[in-house]
Amino acid sequence: MVRTPLTPWERARGERFGALLREARGGRSMVEVAAAAGVSAETLRKIETGRAPTPAFFTVVALASALGMSLDALAEACAAEGTDEDRALSA
């Protein structure tokens, strides 16, 4: 299966998501958070660094739960920082 390339806005959104997860993780180790979410530390590392900018929904839910984050607030924070021009590129 061939995936369509991500737009610049989608890549930037993935980077924002990773930064939000790193910030929410605070002093907790990556291994600790990944184990609490039921994902591998490698998966979390890829998401946090933006190398996996479009994680599966259930991975996002599990990470948000492990970090005590609201999905609504997380979605808003990831989408809010994109510019209108960035969004137009993804259309």
Side-chain angles (χ1 to χ4, degrees):
M1 177 172 132
V2 176
R3 296 182 72 168
T4 56
L6 297 175
T7 66
W9 182 76
E10 290 168 329
R11 288 185 192 277
R13 181 185 59 201
E15 290 170 3
R16 285 193 301 276
F17 178 61
L20 287 167
L21 292 180
R22 275 192 308 278
E23 183 179 325
R25 187 165 52 84
R28 294 171 67 185
S29 76
M30 191 176 288
V31 172
E32 178 185 351
V33 172
V39 300
S40 71
E42 178 66 13
T43 295
L44 180 55
R45 185 184 66 75
K46 286 179 180 179
I47 294 169
E48 284 190 357
T49 60
R51 288 188 52 225
T54 58
F57 176 74
F58 292 105
T59 301
V60 173
V61 170
L63 289 169
S65 177
L67 293 167
M69 301 177 76
S70 157
L71 286 177
D72 290 335
L74 186 58
E76 186 176 312
C78 287
E81 295 181 27
T83 66
D84 290 337
E85 181 179 321
D86 292 336
R87 288 188 194 103
L89 289 172
S90 69

